[in-house]
Amino acid sequence: MADRIHKKLENADQLAEHGLKQCHLESERNVWLYSFSDPFTTAKNVAHGDFPKYGT
């Protein structure tokens, strides 16, 4: 079970890194990274800027 969880985390990390390469604006990077930290990310939260900013 631990191996399966570890593999899922590796896959998520690879997806996050690949997606970051597609982001051109800081706001895109912030929203992309936030979506990994909060599975209930909403457009309303993003539109209002109700998410933490990440240094990238």
Side-chain angles (χ1 to χ4, degrees):
M1 183 172 170
D3 290 335
R4 197 173 80 206
I5 292 170
H6 185 263
K7 183 64 176 167
K8 285 184 179 186
L9 290 172
E10 284 181 349
N11 290 342
D13 189 49
Q14 290 173 358
L15 178 62
E17 287 180 23
H18 178 72
L20 273 177
K21 292 176 185 175
Q22 308 301 313
C23 297
H24 301 289
L25 303 174
E26 182 181 351
S27 59
E28 292 174 328
R29 290 188 290 271
N30 287 331
V31 171
W32 178 253
L33 291 173
Y34 179 64
S35 69
F36 280 85
S37 66
D38 182 0
F40 301 106
T41 302
T42 64
K44 181 179 177 181
N45 289 358
V46 171
H48 290 217
D50 294 338
F51 56 93
K53 306 298 187 266
Y54 298 94
T56 57

